[in-house]
Amino acid sequence: MDRSFIKKLRRLVDRERCLTSPEEVLVYGLDAGPVRSRPEAVVLPETTTEVAEILKLATRERVPVTPRGAGSGLTGGAVPVKGGLVLSLDRMNRILEIDSPNLLAVVQPNATAAELNREAQKHGLFFGPDPASMSFSALGGNIAENAGGMRAVKYGVTKHSVLGLEVVLPSGEVIRTGSKCVKDVVGYGLTELFVGSEGSLGVITEAILKLIPRPQARGLLAGYFRNMDRAAEAVPAILRAGLAPSALEFLDRYCLEALRNAFEHQPPSQAEALLLVEVDGRAEEIPRKIELVEELFREHGATGLRTARDEPGQEALWAMRRSIHGAMESISTHWLEEDISVPVGRIPRMLRKLEEIRTELDLLLTCFGHFGDGNIHLSYTGPEGPLAEDRALMARERIFEAVSRMEGRIAAEHGLGLAKADHLARNLSPETIRLMERLKKAFDPLGILNPGKPFSPDQPTGHE
Amino acid sequence: MLEKCIHCGECRTACPVFEETRQERFTARGRIGLLEALLEGEIEPSEKVYGTLDKCLLCLACCENCGGGVLTEEIVRKSRAEWVANSGLKPIKKLVQAGLTGGDETISRARKLQQLLFRKVPAESGLRRRFPLPLVDKEQLVPELAETSFRNSFKPSPQSPKGPESVILFTGCLANYATTPVAEATVKVLEKLGIGVEVPPGQGCCGAPLEIAGDTRAAREQAEVNVSALTKLGSHPVIVPCPTCGLTIRQRYFNLLGDDPVFERKARSLAERTLEITEYLVGRVGLDRLKPLIAAPLQERVTYHDPCHLARGLGVRDQPRELLKVIAPEGFVEMEEADRCCGLAGTFHLTNRPISKKIQARKTARVRESGAGVVATGCSACVIQLRDGAHRAGLKVRARHVIELLAETIGE
């Protein structure tokens, strides 16, 4: 990037929206993950036209461009590893329309899911995907990473809520995908290509999102189990009971130990697992659904049960689930994390396999997460301190090997980003990878958009 | 302290400065990221780094919001202190410091200057500039400096008992030199309750603006002056109508005086008996003693703005509201974003005018939306900003300190 590029950029957007000094651009080089890389400049467009002009210019001058939502991702999706220009969507953050009769919303990329929900609520509607970061992550980022969340077990991940997009291609061309219609098979389904593409195929400048009627009532149950195996078996059982739980979360025995050592939320001393099941629906359905869950809990050996029928009670239980990260921080500040998924019926086996790996390699390892959709968040570290690099790599290998043996996936909802390129072969055949690379070339022939992710051979593995 | 930050970005939703600038360096994460880079030698200390630290309201919203409990407000203050130790105070802050520590003489001279440069407009509560001035536009309402400071004119009322229930009043600069009705109202309410009020003469500026700007040395001087003045008269509760004074005395004095074991001990014991006025009235005196005194409850609808230092700094949120519900039994309404900073933030509104005005405009919009005719708050500086904000927006709303409203409703 040379000075003439900056000059041309400044002619497209006013000076204050084009940042070049180190102090101004530095923060745009990091996200919530471990990798940082400073960009050379940052631009903050306000309209789709500006985004298009910027990309046209970047294509002409061969300048790498990394789009940025809120920079809250865990896998480096927003980190400009090849320097260049960061295109921050922070000045395109409005909710354009809540179209209540058509059950949809039209939004700019940097509005947040929490803001969308606040607006949708006024119309008795809500937006399904609820990633933990929903109050601050950008919807554009949620779309680019196909974010999940606790309610995905009933309402799906982000891709299930995207009806259409406006996207600016690396060339600067603007296209629209999908529509306001639920059923639409006109042409190839491009929307789904962009969802989860991690900002490597185009820059999202507008999204048409599906809204759902807000459930009238919710019930939340917490079950403590003395036997983790049996608790894990409860997961597929609950899914098969036809209850359509709106959340099915799990904390394993090590999480509970962490909670015991850390906080006010004190799990009972012999509990080996905690299951949180939420049901929603019309008010009259809730009591029966709660009964069914309680029965299933008991059948699988639950010894302690707490049912919360009102918001404050539910909030208290969710607070416990949310406090798990903090509790783990008090044990170690060097956890390595993985975000994997397996077919839902294989959760119990996967847990047992992870326990094997844990003992064999002598690790601290905790598992928790959205077990209802087979998604396990696991954190691991050494018993005395951070794992040495070779041991960490070995642990990762073993985990991913176990995952692929069970037909699971090495990235469930946090994206591939910078972290997993060398493990792609576990899930993708060479032919598949080659097709994906050809697709990338078709969208971005010069390779300027978010270079280095999600599967480029020459990625850095550490800090830059 | 920096290591606790995991750079998740949650602070983006809390920071009013980020909301107005939409630039990432103006978030807790951004400020911390910059400081980390500074420490690692990746960037040089520069005006832009200072500017990032300066464009911070210190409103504590990020600290309250942070899942990891990172105390960015403290980090920013300490960084400012480092900066000042190396490069000195900026001119405006030096001026403010001179004004606040110069004593009655300085204020009296300032008042004469104010009379020359500003004029009173009868319908408004505040002065307007007579001709173009730096930092003050033609709309700005500026509080009038009192002809005689509160402390110089204070006489305990003849009926004021010197019984066991008496308190020490620490006025703070605003109530002493400018918003004297706040100090007068505080005394009136206490005396009507049968509580004696002492106003020790040796007190001065609490030192908050100095500490906040990073002039730790000057702040320490004020800490010493005030700890001496306030610990002479025995161990009565020390009452503050200003939450910034309260925060500084309670949480910062013993640190500032940490190098002197005697003073540190005195400062800690002083901290334990310092209470903000609504805290004292609701917590120690009790609403039951207040209710019979209310002769004329407020007929208007009233809403409440939480000062940052009162709500997040001292944890006092319920007490002012409970008082307002007694003052205006039918008419209390909550406003949206009641605890979002008003944007004055000490010298911030002088050094960062455009952002301060934008934050003020958003607060004014929320006041308007509440439908209230009176906006009450627990801080004189917030009153100034709320009043000026309403005035600029053509909004007919009275801005008052809670204690003034209480005094209004108590008979003569």
Side-chain angles (χ1 to χ4, degrees):
Chain A
M1 185 188 299
D2 55 25
R3 219 170 270 155
S4 80
F5 178 80
I6 306 280
K7 261 185 142 147
K8 290 174 190 152
L9 203 58
R10 289 224 163 100
R11 272 187 237 130
L12 295 177
V13 305
D14 32 75
R15 292 198 106 236
E16 315 134 23
R17 295 191 285 124
C18 187
L19 313 173
T20 51
S21 71
E23 301 92 340
E24 290 168 315
V25 306
L26 197 132
V27 192
Y28 293 91
L30 50 83
D31 69 0
V35 182
R36 314 180 166 208
S37 175
R38 202 191 295 192
E40 291 164 75
V42 177
V43 69
L44 295 106
E46 281 172 1
T47 63
T48 303
T49 309
E50 283 181 349
V51 176
E53 292 300 311
I54 291 164
L55 283 172
K56 228 179 262 170
L57 176 65
T59 292
R60 262 202 318 270
E61 314 261 326
R62 307 285 200 269
V63 172
V65 178
T66 306
R68 181 182 182 88
S72 60
L74 296 164
T75 50
V79 177
V81 290
K82 302 282 183 191
L85 183 67
V86 161
L87 196 152
S88 162
L89 279 314
D90 261 334
R91 298 190 79 94
M92 294 177 70
N93 63 331
R94 290 188 356 252
I95 309 238
L96 298 173
E97 191 191 347
I98 305 279
D99 183 349
S100 180
N102 291 314
L103 295 169
L104 56 89
V106 182
V107 303
Q108 287 188 323
N110 269 32
T112 66
E115 280 160 4
L116 178 56
N117 264 320
R118 276 199 290 277
E119 288 308 307
Q121 214 161 287
K122 300 177 186 168
H123 302 259
L125 301 171
F126 89 113
F127 179 64
D130 61 338
S133 60
M134 63 183 289
S135 70
F136 56 99
S137 58
L139 281 165
N142 296 158
I143 295 168
E145 299 284 336
N146 195 12
M150 290 192 299
R151 300 230 164 88
V153 66
K154 181 167 182 179
Y155 296 108
V157 293
T158 301
K159 82 176 175 197
H160 298 111
S161 289
V162 182
L163 291 170
L165 297 169
E166 178 189 79
V167 185
V168 181
L169 300 176
S171 60
E173 290 167 278
V174 181
I175 61 156
R176 294 209 74 111
T177 74
S179 63
K180 290 185 175 180
C181 296
V182 170
K183 290 194 173 174
D184 176 357
V185 290
V186 183
Y188 294 130
L190 291 177
T191 306
E192 226 188 275
L193 250 180
F194 287 106
V195 181
S197 64
E198 304 190 30
S200 66
L201 299 180
V203 177
I204 296 163
T205 49
E206 202 177 278
I208 306 172
L209 301 173
K210 190 162 112 175
L211 295 176
I212 317 169
R214 230 175 147 233
Q216 222 179 34
R218 293 194 172 118
L220 181 61
L221 297 100
Y224 288 104
F225 295 72
R226 280 219 195 134
N227 182 303
M228 197 168 87
D229 256 355
R230 286 186 71 201
E233 305 280 353
V235 173
I238 290 167
L239 289 171
R240 298 176 71 86
L243 287 164
S246 50
L248 213 178
E249 297 285 306
F250 190 99
L251 270 70
D252 78 353
R253 66 165 74 89
Y254 306 105
C255 291
L256 295 182
E257 248 176 67
L259 282 176
R260 269 180 215 113
N261 295 332
F263 284 116
E264 328 115 47
H265 308 293
Q266 285 295 328
S269 56
Q270 284 163 318
E272 278 212 336
L274 168 64
L275 255 140
L276 281 167
V277 178
E278 186 187 78
V279 291
D280 69 6
R282 300 194 58 79
E284 59 270 22
E285 300 175 291
I286 305 299
R288 180 65 189 134
K289 286 189 178 185
I290 289 180
E291 251 177 57
L292 280 167
V293 177
E294 284 175 351
E295 264 171 51
L296 286 163
F297 272 2
R298 269 185 235 109
E299 266 170 45
H300 288 86
T303 50
L305 235 80
R306 264 177 72 187
T307 303
R309 286 160 220 268
D310 62 22
E311 254 194 76
Q314 290 163 14
E315 204 11 65
L317 288 174
W318 285 128
M320 175 165 46
R321 158 72 176 87
R322 283 196 297 265
S323 67
I324 189 62
H325 260 123
M328 282 166 48
E329 286 287 306
S330 62
I331 296 178
S332 162
T333 49
H334 297 104
W335 295 96
L336 297 166
E337 292 179 351
E338 297 302 339
D339 155 56
I340 58 128
S341 67
V342 292
V344 296
R346 293 191 187 145
I347 285 266
R349 249 175 74 197
M350 189 67 216
L351 281 185
R352 283 194 288 273
K353 190 73 203 161
L354 287 169
E355 179 65 20
E356 267 176 47
I357 296 175
R358 194 194 69 82
T359 29
E360 264 180 59
L361 298 181
D362 188 28
L363 305 168
L364 289 182
L365 189 147
T366 66
C367 295
F368 63 96
H370 323 301
F371 281 24
D373 31 48
N375 180 196
I376 304 176
H377 289 313
L378 51 101
S379 299
Y380 53 105
T381 187
E384 305 298 318
L387 283 171
E389 189 162 349
D390 55 320
R391 269 183 81 202
L393 286 172
M394 175 158 51
R396 208 170 196 225
E397 281 297 326
R398 297 287 302 280
I399 291 166
F400 284 164
E401 194 197 327
V403 168
S404 70
R405 286 256 181 83
M406 292 201 208
E407 296 181 281
R409 310 303 278 181
I410 62 173
E413 57 179 13
H414 291 168
L416 285 173
L418 293 168
K420 298 178 202 183
D422 27 337
H423 294 270
L424 283 184
R426 295 235 175 252
N427 280 158
L428 302 176
S429 71
E431 296 79 7
T432 312
I433 296 177
R434 283 201 293 272
L435 177 60
M436 289 184 175
E437 285 173 345
R438 288 202 295 280
L439 252 170
K440 163 74 175 175
K441 248 210 139 68
F443 280 72
D444 184 17
L446 298 173
I448 60 158
L449 196 61
N450 212 355
K453 311 151 221 180
F455 25 70
S456 166
D458 54 342
Q459 293 181 37
T461 49
H463 295 244
E464 245 183 61
Chain B
M1 276 203 316
L2 292 177
E3 327 84 63
K4 275 177 91 177
C5 174
I6 60 171
H7 309 113
C8 65
E10 188 167 14
C11 47
R12 286 164 49 105
T13 55
C15 181
V17 176
F18 175 67
E19 187 56 40
E20 299 305 332
T21 58
R22 300 303 286 176
Q23 264 196 54
E24 285 229 32
R25 67 181 162 124
F26 300 117
T27 57
R29 170 172 76 169
R31 295 182 179 94
I32 288 176
L34 224 53
L35 289 170
E36 285 169 342
L38 202 63
L39 286 172
E40 279 164 42
E42 283 170 31
I43 52 169
E44 292 298 305
S46 68
E47 276 307 306
K48 279 218 167 78
V49 174
Y50 175 75
T52 311
L53 296 173
D54 185 60
K55 269 190 179 59
C56 170
L57 301 161
L58 296 179
C59 69
L60 293 162
C62 54
C63 304
E64 182 184 54
N65 187 264
C66 177
V70 180
L71 298 174
T72 305
E73 190 266 356
E74 202 180 318
I75 292 170
V76 171
R77 260 187 306 117
K78 293 212 160 105
S79 309
R80 288 182 183 182
E82 285 282 324
W83 197 278
V84 168
N86 288 319
S87 324
L89 271 179
K90 294 280 163 194
I92 293 180
K93 300 194 185 196
K94 272 206 189 119
L95 197 62
V96 168
Q97 179 183 342
L100 294 172
T101 54
D104 292 348
E105 273 293 303
T106 310
I107 300 293
S108 157
R109 262 181 252 134
R111 181 171 193 276
K112 294 203 176 79
L113 194 60
Q114 189 185 51
Q115 296 291 311
L116 273 175
L117 299 176
F118 293 83
R119 62 193 168 91
K120 185 128 189 75
V121 177
E124 294 163 354
S125 28
L127 304 179
R128 289 219 215 185
R129 72 178 198 196
R130 292 182 195 272
F131 34 72
L133 283 176
L135 302 179
V136 184
D137 66 18
K138 61 178 161 62
E139 290 303 316
Q140 182 81 40
L141 287 182
V142 162
E144 185 171 6
L145 291 168
E147 198 168 343
T148 317
S149 77
F150 171 80
R151 291 199 295 266
N152 285 340
S153 60
F154 171 72
K155 281 184 211 10
S157 102
Q159 301 100 317
S160 175
K162 292 254 185 214
E165 203 181 21
S166 86
V167 298
I168 294 169
L169 180 63
F170 183 83
T171 64
C173 294
L174 271 176
N176 187 45
Y177 292 117
T179 58
T180 52
V182 169
E184 284 154 11
T186 308
V187 170
K188 174 178 172 185
V189 170
L190 290 167
E191 288 184 341
K192 285 268 182 237
L193 282 164
I195 297 167
V197 183
E198 306 259 11
V199 183
Q203 60 183 277
C205 172
C206 70
L210 315 171
E211 201 267 337
I212 283 167
D215 194 344
T216 322
R217 189 204 49 83
R220 190 199 176 287
E221 263 177 48
Q222 292 308 115
E224 215 182 279
V225 160
N226 290 312
V227 169
S228 303
L230 296 171
T231 51
K232 272 201 192 100
L233 296 174
S235 57
H236 303 287
V238 172
I239 305 304
V240 290
C242 171
T244 304
C245 297
L247 179 73
T248 308
I249 295 172
R250 282 228 298 246
Q251 296 175 13
R252 311 224 167 128
Y253 272 10
F254 55 79
N255 279 320
L256 285 166
L257 296 165
D259 57 344
D260 182 326
V262 172
F263 266 109
E264 194 203 331
R265 205 175 12 92
K266 284 193 180 169
R268 280 189 193 277
S269 108
L270 175 61
E272 273 165 36
R273 56 189 168 89
T274 300
L275 292 164
E276 183 268 347
I277 182 64
T278 65
E279 230 187 337
Y280 176 74
L281 288 174
V282 175
R284 293 283 176 90
V285 175
L287 290 173
D288 288 336
R289 275 173 68 183
L290 271 167
K291 283 181 186 153
L293 297 175
I294 311 275
L298 213 58
Q299 295 309 315
E300 303 155 277
R301 279 176 112 191
V302 65
T303 189
Y304 179 72
H305 157 75
D306 288 278
C308 300
H309 285 161
L310 189 55
R312 284 182 284 272
L314 293 174
V316 174
R317 289 175 187 271
D318 296 333
Q319 297 91 321
R321 287 173 165 86
E322 287 177 50
L323 273 173
L324 287 171
K325 286 173 187 160
V326 165
I327 291 169
E330 301 303 304
F332 178 74
V333 290
E334 279 289 344
M335 67 165 140
E336 296 271 327
E337 300 181 343
D339 64 355
R340 194 175 195 270
C341 184
C342 68
L344 190 128
T347 54
F348 183 93
H349 79 292
L350 297 171
T351 55
N352 293 290
R353 279 193 46 99
I355 299 178
S356 171
K357 287 290 168 243
K358 289 200 186 125
I359 297 173
Q360 178 190 49
R362 182 154 162 169
K363 174 60 64 172
T364 308
R366 298 292 105 85
V367 172
R368 186 196 291 273
E369 285 158 19
S370 75
V374 181
V375 55
T377 184
C379 165
S380 290
C382 296
V383 170
I384 292 168
Q385 183 79 334
L386 291 165
R387 178 172 293 154
D388 179 65
H391 166 77
R392 278 167 198 273
L395 183 63
K396 297 230 174 312
V397 168
R398 279 199 301 151
R400 285 288 185 278
H401 195 297
V402 175
I403 197 67
E404 284 181 283
L405 290 174
L406 186 53
E408 255 175 56
T409 58
I410 287 178
E412 273 319 311

